[in-house]
Amino acid sequence: MSKKINLLVVISGVAVGIAALVLTALGNPANMGFCIACFLRDIAGATKMHSAAVVQYVRPEIIGLVLGSFIMSVATREFRAKAGSSPATRFVIAMFVMIGALVFLGCPLRMVIRMGGGDLNAFVGLAGFAIGIIIGIFFLKKGFSLKRSYEVTKTEGGILPGVMVVLFGLFLAVPTIFAFSETGPGSKRAPVFVALIIALVIGALAQKSRLCMVGGMRDAIMFRDFNLLSGFAAIFVTILIGNVILGKFTGFSTYLQPIAHASQLWNLLGMTLVGWGSVLLGGCPLRQLILAGEGNGDSAVSVFGMIVGAAIAHNFKLAGAAASLSEDGVYSVGGIGTAGKVAVVIGFVVFAIISFMNIAKEEK
Amino acid sequence: MVDARGYSCPMPVVMVQKEVKKNPDSLEVLVDNRTAVENVSRFARNSGYEVSVAEEGGDFKLTLKK
């Protein structure tokens, strides 16, 4: 049985890799294709929660992932409406996970996609991500828990899928109410229905395979269970091979990578925050979307927390600036400003407090 | 008996791991989602237990035996 599951995780990983390559070829930003943090941030921009003009778009990928998971879980009778596992705490954790991701410029999924694209900065991010996961595991072993959830009404479980349907409906019916980027990453888009359909398929696969970027490393370290890590590896290998075949691979480098900066300390610390927070939440940003699709109200709260985190990141200028080459040839490594650095430090303090305060006392 | 209903992964596996460390001959585990069924089963098999699963009114009872 475990072999079968393994295969499904690998298939899902390969599918995610191919989807990212196809979406990038069809217009999505380079080395992105499929980035949960970036695309939630674009949705926050489109709905005018922040006004960074270059990152505003209603990404059909997010809508498709949630609905794909919803449809698959209903079809296989796995949809279960539940909630009540420290939702406010999850909201705050998710906010800082998003801030960490935008400091690095990508969620764990985009980190893998960037790695496969030859971006060495993402390998620094990976090191940070691993450190964050190890810190998270330390607290899990100490007894950290956000406590159990409870069965709730189907309506509560269907909130995020419902929000996504309404958002997509409005996007098709009255697009003028939203803000859309005319330049920058937010202006780079794959065709709407292609993006939606691909995301529906990936959402369904991810639901069935439990694909999770943070779960892979966590389970490997904690339980010597390499099931989910195989999906992580499959994405990397698929992207790498795909980029080579498409002639887009130009070797591994930190120099001028697409929508990335080379400010390594903050690549590292941003992803440390993401790894730690994701372990506390029980899954990476992608996994939160999928869980919310299958009726988990706590994960829906996490998704809302990430959207608000994205708005905060851009309103307070916390997000990383990509490396750039000016017209007269001056290279800038990019990176983050003072506010972003302070936000990351605050994130660590908040996570430390949450981690210590939620350690369950030993039962006698 | 481990009651991990309401917990999302990895918590059910963490709870089972704690009990398995005491090396019991058998252990009953209650979970309420199939992800937990799969993960706990995989962990238990890797730890040398045989696992049987019974569905009980939307919940799952896993019986681990050496």
Side-chain angles (χ1 to χ4, degrees):
Chain A
M1 179 177 161
S2 72
K3 269 192 181 159
K4 230 194 264 171
I5 293 164
N6 243 318
L7 194 60
L8 189 60
V9 178
V10 173
I11 291 169
S12 302
V14 172
V16 167
I18 293 172
L21 292 165
V22 169
L23 288 170
T24 304
L26 290 176
N28 275 4
N31 278 3
M32 196 175 286
F34 237 123
C35 167
I36 310 309
C38 318
F39 289 178
L40 284 172
R41 182 260 329 263
D42 290 353
I43 287 177
T47 51
K48 301 176 186 176
M49 295 167 84
H50 70 70
S51 50
V54 291
V55 283
Q56 297 172 321
Y57 179 48
V58 177
R59 290 281 178 189
E61 289 85 352
I62 298 289
I63 295 162
L65 285 170
V66 174
L67 296 180
S69 162
F70 174 73
I71 293 165
M72 178 59 105
S73 64
V74 169
T76 57
R77 294 179 47 244
E78 283 197 18
F79 182 89
R80 285 201 65 166
K82 51 185 186 177
S85 166
S86 311
T89 306
R90 285 177 190 273
F91 187 94
V92 171
I93 296 171
M95 263 173 45
F96 281 102
V97 164
M98 180 56 97
I99 290 168
L102 292 177
V103 161
F104 164 73
L105 292 174
C107 68
L109 181 54
R110 184 173 184 238
M111 176 187 78
V112 183
I113 293 171
R114 282 174 55 179
M115 285 161 56
D119 179 352
L120 277 183
N121 304 302
F123 285 82
V124 179
L126 176 68
F129 188 53
I131 293 168
I133 289 172
I134 290 167
I135 298 172
I137 289 175
F138 170 80
F139 286 104
L140 283 184
K141 287 195 166 166
K142 286 263 172 224
F144 172 87
S145 166
L146 293 176
K147 298 291 172 218
R148 65 162 296 177
S149 60
Y150 297 88
E151 200 159 330
V152 290
T153 62
K154 290 223 160 47
T155 319
E156 166 75 11
I159 284 289
L160 196 66
V163 166
M164 290 295 150
V165 168
V166 171
L167 181 65
F168 195 61
L170 288 171
F171 171 59
L172 292 182
V174 278
T176 48
I177 62 170
F178 297 106
F180 293 126
S181 300
E182 285 169 8
T183 58
S187 68
K188 295 181 175 148
R189 309 158 191 165
V192 173
F193 282 96
V194 178
L196 180 75
I197 289 165
I198 289 177
L200 281 168
V201 174
I202 299 295
L205 276 173
Q207 195 280 325
K208 208 70 215 140
S209 67
R210 335 297 188 200
L211 188 69
C212 175
M213 299 300 104
V214 73
M217 265 194 239
R218 179 198 65 206
D219 292 355
I221 297 169
M222 269 188 108
F223 313 122
R224 293 198 184 79
D225 177 344
F226 298 92
N227 184 42
L228 289 174
L229 197 60
S230 64
F232 187 103
I235 298 173
F236 171 69
V237 172
T238 306
I239 297 278
L240 186 60
I241 293 173
N243 278 326
V244 170
I245 292 172
L246 294 171
K248 288 193 177 155
F249 186 78
T250 53
F252 288 102
S253 166
T254 58
Y255 179 73
L256 212 59
Q257 295 295 316
I259 319 165
H261 62 73
S263 186
Q264 302 308 353
L265 177 64
W266 300 98
N267 278 331
L268 184 94
L269 293 178
M271 283 315 280
T272 305
L273 202 59
V274 174
W276 186 355
S278 296
V279 170
L280 301 183
L281 289 176
C284 70
L286 168 71
R287 184 80 184 134
Q288 299 303 324
L289 288 179
I290 301 301
L291 285 171
E294 56 183 74
N296 190 322
D298 296 317
S299 289
V301 168
S302 300
V303 173
F304 295 139
M306 286 192 278
I307 293 173
V308 170
I312 290 173
H314 284 280
N315 287 335
F316 292 88
K317 302 201 183 335
L318 314 176
S324 58
L325 199 58
S326 70
E327 280 176 16
D328 41 9
V330 179
Y331 174 64
S332 156
V333 293
I336 61 171
T338 311
K341 293 171 185 173
V342 172
V344 170
V345 173
I346 292 174
F348 282 123
V349 174
V350 168
F351 283 2
I353 293 170
I354 289 174
S355 298
F356 277 111
M357 298 305 281
N358 287 288
I359 292 175
K361 301 228 161 55
E362 277 293 316
E363 285 168 37
K364 292 274 154 68
Chain B
M1 165 75 96
V2 174
D3 184 357
R5 285 175 299 175
Y7 285 95
S8 295
C9 280
M11 293 316 294
V13 185
V14 174
M15 293 157 91
V16 170
Q17 187 183 34
K18 211 166 141 192
E19 290 303 311
V20 163
K21 273 187 183 153
K22 298 174 193 161
N23 206 18
D25 287 330
S26 69
L27 183 66
E28 285 190 344
V29 184
L30 282 176
V31 296
D32 68 356
N33 62 86
R34 272 193 227 148
T35 308
V37 173
E38 291 160 13
N39 291 345
V40 169
S41 300
R42 209 165 48 240
F43 174 76
R45 290 200 185 98
N46 289 342
S47 311
Y49 286 87
E50 278 180 24
V51 184
S52 58
V53 184
E55 195 166 348
E56 288 181 352
D59 295 331
F60 301 89
K61 188 162 105 181
L62 284 74
T63 309
L64 281 53
K65 281 203 173 83
K66 276 258 172 183

